[in-house]
Amino acid sequence: MQESRPTGSAELPPRPGEGRAGAGRQLRVLLTPLAGPGRRPPRKRLRGGGAGGRGAGQGLCPEPGQGRDGAWDADSDGSDGGDAAADGYSQLSAYERKRLKNITENAKFFAALKMHESAARLHQITTKKQSSVAKRAKPKKAENESVRRRSMRLQRVEPLGVPVPEMPAQPEAEEYPQVPAGPLPMVPEDEMANGNLAEDLLTTWMRISEMKAGDTEKCTCDMKRYRDSLSSMVLSEDNVKKVVKYRVCSMAIHPSESLLFVAAGDKSGQIGLWNVDCKSDEGARVFVPHNYPVSCMHFSPFNPAHLLSLSNDSLRCGDVTRAVFDEICRNEESMSSFDFLEDNASTAIVGHWGGDVAVVDRRTPGTSSELSADIGFKRTRTVHVHPVNKQYFMAAGLVDVCIYDVRYLKSKGNKPVSALKGHTKSVASAYFSPVTGSRVVTVCADDKLRVYDTSSLPSAVGALSTVRHNNNTGRWLTRFRAVWDPKQEDCFVVGSMARPRQIEVFRDTGKLLHSFQNLDCLGSVCSINVVHPSKNILVGGNSSGRLHVFRE
């Protein structure tokens, strides 16, 4: 049966010499179009039609006039075979000989144009530029290079006669001369300009100290009356004043009932005295009796004409009757706080940042302490004496709050009477309640306020109540200290990080009773607060030296 031929195929005659072996064998040639210009035409695929001849799958030799790939050279007429043999290309087809000839002519043409030399030169130039950029070194600074320009504000230059405001920075030793040891005259910082005004302020302090307040019995009123009294205390613009230059670290309020007189100590060693009832600018004056932050202050309960203040290196008594700051104790171990051991304020317990405590007697000549005792603390932030049993005092340090008996203090090996447990981070303050001492409130860096029952003193005391409270004041604010209201045994006052800015009052059960706020006059955190012992007055101090007075 004869095989049908597909379209585009052609039969080839049998090769000479195949004879009868090739008879009956049909070949089909698949013709494909030539490739585009400049490309080698594809091979023709030859398929055997039968099993004879060379066998199935074997390719056929190219016919005369064909190239090696079986393509026909349309330009060749078979007459250039002699030239090809002479050139050594006898084995190539006419098409490939023509292709080689074109390549040779093109090479001669490009050689005449010198294209290769231009390309090589351009490549060399490009390579040099890239290498030079990669290896370029940074220019060295000249030795005599001028100092970088700074603005007039940073140079603290007064432009066009306009004074530059002072920056709230820690004073340097060059700007503020060191306060010498020993007694210092009670002279304000701006003596030359306001000498008479300062004398009026000190005279007022002396006058109100001579007036003995009535012996009113301390008692706790019912909670409704107390909350009503808190609501009646408001803040006005006249009762806000910048008293000291820098951050307030401690405050004390004079016990007088006839006139409101407040003292504030800042981080540079300044003490500001403010007669709040004096509505003019002359109501406040600043004194500099210390070199370091004034961390603790108290008016003497026996003689309010004495203001005792403690800094890192000295404990001083400002005696307005003699207009002098006496030096009671000097110690290079960095003192942190103090409290009176007796009602006549003749002796005091002093805490040290290094952890020790010391007993100081004001009647003893000299400025050394009577006893220095190691209580096992790494740091002592506050000390406080029991209001009834004066032999007991409490020390608060890192995670330790312990109560000791001063009668059994010795230089080493002191054991506490009782320990207040539960603190996981450093404790900022710990104070007995003012009337009976049966409660203690602490402020801890673990964001908790804790109240303890100290009516009895077992070896370990657990917290009676705990209040979640943001105590993360950071480095720019004085750490919070929760202080009891002297008029209310079971309520204490503490600063707050909440907005709007406020001062909070809590009960010993942990319940929030009242928040002192004023959107117009109170816009900062008051870390240090003090409450008047007999009147409904609260004073809060902030980090810029400003005092805020809430009163009826």
Side-chain angles (χ1 to χ4, degrees):
M1 180 178 178
Q2 187 176 2
E3 198 175 312
S4 61
R5 291 180 294 174
T7 305
S9 64
E11 292 186 7
L12 294 178
R15 292 174 56 90
E18 287 185 4
R20 303 179 70 91
R25 176 176 153 203
Q26 295 179 349
L27 297 179
R28 288 177 297 165
V29 180
L30 301 180
L31 302 180
T32 57
L34 293 175
R39 292 189 178 180
R40 188 173 182 178
R43 294 175 180 267
K44 292 181 180 179
R45 291 176 293 175
L46 303 181
R47 295 182 180 177
R54 294 188 179 183
Q58 292 184 350
L60 299 178
C61 295
E63 294 291 334
Q66 279 187 304
R68 180 173 295 181
D69 54 1
W72 291 91
D73 192 347
D75 296 334
S76 175
D77 58 355
S79 61
D80 54 354
D83 296 337
D87 294 338
Y89 297 133
S90 58
Q91 73 278 15
L92 300 179
S93 65
Y95 169 78
E96 291 185 344
R97 292 195 296 270
K98 182 66 175 178
R99 177 172 170 272
L100 292 175
K101 182 179 180 181
N102 290 339
I103 292 174
T104 304
E105 290 177 356
N106 290 339
K108 291 180 180 180
F109 176 73
F110 284 115
L113 295 178
K114 298 183 179 180
M115 295 292 289
H116 296 289
E117 291 81 349
S118 300
R121 190 161 51 251
L122 180 61
H123 177 72
Q124 184 179 7
I125 293 173
T126 306
T127 306
K128 285 184 178 180
K129 286 186 177 180
Q130 291 178 352
S131 62
S132 61
V133 172
K135 295 181 180 180
R136 184 175 60 183
K138 294 182 179 179
K140 295 183 179 180
K141 293 183 179 180
E143 295 181 358
N144 56 353
E145 184 179 358
S146 59
V147 181
R148 184 175 59 181
R149 295 182 60 187
R150 300 172 63 196
S151 65
M152 299 182 72
R153 177 182 63 83
L154 294 178
Q155 298 181 45
R156 306 188 65 76
V157 178
E158 298 183 1
L160 302 178
V162 179
V164 179
E166 292 292 331
M167 296 178 65
Q170 179 72 27
E172 300 292 339
E174 302 81 62
E175 297 182 40
Y176 296 89
Q178 291 289 304
V179 175
L184 297 173
M186 194 173 286
V187 177
E189 188 180 27
D190 50 355
E191 175 192 14
M192 300 302 296
N194 304 289
N196 294 331
L197 300 177
E199 185 176 350
D200 293 340
L201 181 68
L202 297 178
T203 301
T204 301
W205 179 12
M206 185 184 304
R207 175 173 54 84
I208 62 175
S209 300
E210 293 172 351
M211 301 171 61
K212 299 295 183 180
D215 294 334
T216 57
E217 183 180 355
K218 293 182 179 180
C219 60
T220 300
C221 61
D222 63 90
M223 195 54 56
K224 184 179 183 305
R225 288 178 54 193
Y226 180 67
R227 297 185 70 168
D228 291 342
S229 66
L230 295 177
S231 301
S232 66
M233 299 162 58
V234 295
L235 176 66
S236 64
E237 188 177 354
D238 294 337
N239 290 328
V240 179
K241 190 176 185 63
K242 186 175 177 64
V243 177
V244 287
K245 195 172 185 179
Y246 301 105
R247 169 161 45 102
V248 176
C249 297
S250 60
M251 283 195 303
I253 189 167
H254 196 281
S256 171
E257 296 182 359
S258 61
L259 187 144
L260 183 55
F261 194 80
V262 182
D266 74 355
K267 70 172 187 178
S268 69
Q270 294 183 355
I271 292 180
L273 301 178
W274 181 24
N275 178 8
V276 183
D277 293 330
C278 181
K279 300 304 180 183
S280 63
D281 294 336
E282 290 78 19
R285 284 293 168 267
V286 176
F287 302 84
V288 189
H290 297 283
N291 292 313
Y292 303 100
V294 184
S295 56
C296 190
M297 297 177 65
H298 295 292
F299 281 99
S300 170
F302 181 73
N303 185 3
H306 293 174
L307 173 65
L308 283 83
S309 59
L310 181 136
S311 185
N312 285 3
D313 60 348
S314 63
L315 172 63
R316 291 184 178 272
C317 175
D319 186 354
V320 69
T321 60
R322 298 188 296 116
V324 64
F325 286 101
D326 280 327
E327 191 171 60
I328 298 174
C329 181
R330 172 166 286 272
N331 194 309
E332 302 302 331
E333 295 183 6
S334 295
M335 295 178 283
S336 58
S337 62
F338 77 98
D339 196 16
F340 302 111
L341 287 170
E342 301 176 0
D343 291 333
N344 60 8
S346 59
T347 57
I349 187 77
V350 178
H352 294 268
W353 289 112
D356 296 348
V357 296
V359 177
V360 175
D361 193 334
R362 298 175 58 187
R363 298 164 296 188
T364 303
T367 58
S368 60
S369 60
E370 300 297 317
L371 172 67
S372 179
D374 181 4
I375 59 175
F377 281 24
K378 293 183 179 180
R379 182 175 294 271
T380 301
R381 294 186 183 276
T382 60
V383 291
H384 195 230
V385 177
H386 196 282
V388 179
N389 303 313
K390 294 289 186 179
Q391 71 272 19
Y392 294 124
F393 72 93
M394 179 169 50
L398 292 180
V399 295
D400 304 305
V401 179
C402 296
I403 299 174
Y404 294 86
D405 192 332
V406 69
R407 297 172 298 180
Y408 300 103
L409 276 183
K410 48 189 177 182
S411 58
K412 290 185 179 181
N414 296 284
K415 294 183 178 180
V417 175
S418 183
L420 280 57
K421 300 295 184 179
H423 303 96
T424 59
K425 292 186 179 181
S426 64
V427 180
S429 64
Y431 296 110
F432 286 107
S433 56
V435 180
T436 62
S438 61
R439 295 287 186 271
V440 168
V441 60
T442 66
V443 179
C444 186
D446 59 6
D447 287 342
K448 289 182 181 178
L449 308 176
R450 292 178 173 87
V451 178
Y452 293 84
D453 182 2
T454 53
S455 55
S456 61
L457 297 178
S459 59
V461 182
L464 179 65
S465 61
T466 302
V467 181
R468 293 290 303 176
H469 191 266
N470 183 3
N471 298 326
N472 185 20
T473 52
R475 61 177 297 187
W476 304 113
L477 300 177
T478 304
R479 300 184 67 174
F480 290 151
R481 299 176 195 168
V483 295
W484 296 95
D485 187 341
K487 304 179 296 297
Q488 194 73 14
E489 169 74 5
D490 54 356
C491 297
F492 60 89
V493 179
V494 67
S496 175
M497 297 294 293
R499 292 182 182 274
R501 297 309 188 192
Q502 55 194 273
I503 303 172
E504 298 171 334
V505 182
F506 289 91
R507 197 173 179 182
D508 59 356
T509 59
K511 180 181 179 181
L512 177 65
L513 294 179
H514 185 75
S515 295
F516 291 97
Q517 301 180 23
N518 189 308
L519 296 178
D520 298 327
C521 302
L522 181 60
S524 56
V525 177
C526 290
S527 298
I528 303 299
N529 302 279
V530 63
V531 185
H532 196 279
S534 59
K535 301 179 69 174
N536 292 327
I537 296 175
L538 167 69
V539 184
N542 68 3
S543 59
S544 64
R546 199 174 301 274
L547 303 189
H548 307 76
V549 180
F550 291 84
R551 61 192 306 183
E552 291 179 329

